[in-house]
Amino acid sequence: IYPNPFESTVIINSQNQDDFSLKIYNTQGQVLYHQESITSGTALNLQEIPSQLLYIELTYKNNQRAYSKVVKY
């Protein structure tokens, strides 16, 4: 996931080439963004999310999950 930190757009890359779903949470655990069926290399415009620390959860078709932290400024 890059760039980190980011201003408005973040690119989601995954070693797993399968489609996955994505959820973005704030530090209180609230879901700020959710999208199904994303592929590696997708650019997401998150301009409307306020500046803060974000947690990103990727869920693959086999229910395997990957997590990351990013900073939105």
Side-chain angles (χ1 to χ4, degrees):
I1 298 173
Y2 66 93
N4 189 11
F6 71 98
E7 185 173 3
S8 62
T9 302
V10 65
I11 297 171
I12 309 297
N13 274 338
S14 172
Q15 293 176 352
N16 186 333
Q17 294 302 313
D18 292 336
D19 289 357
F20 51 89
S21 65
L22 174 136
K23 287 184 183 177
I24 298 178
Y25 300 90
N26 64 14
T27 56
Q28 287 78 40
Q30 298 169 312
V31 176
L32 303 178
Y33 184 87
H34 179 256
Q35 186 171 337
E36 295 289 331
S37 195
I38 294 178
T39 58
S40 185
T42 298
L44 300 174
N45 184 342
L46 302 175
Q47 184 173 347
E48 304 213 4
I49 293 178
S51 298
Q52 61 189 299
L53 175 65
L54 301 169
Y55 296 96
I56 297 179
E57 175 187 71
L58 307 179
T59 305
Y60 298 96
K61 290 179 182 180
N62 64 1
N63 286 327
Q64 181 181 7
R65 293 192 170 127
Y67 300 92
S68 186
K69 290 188 284 189
V70 295
V71 175
K72 166 101 169 46
Y73 67 89

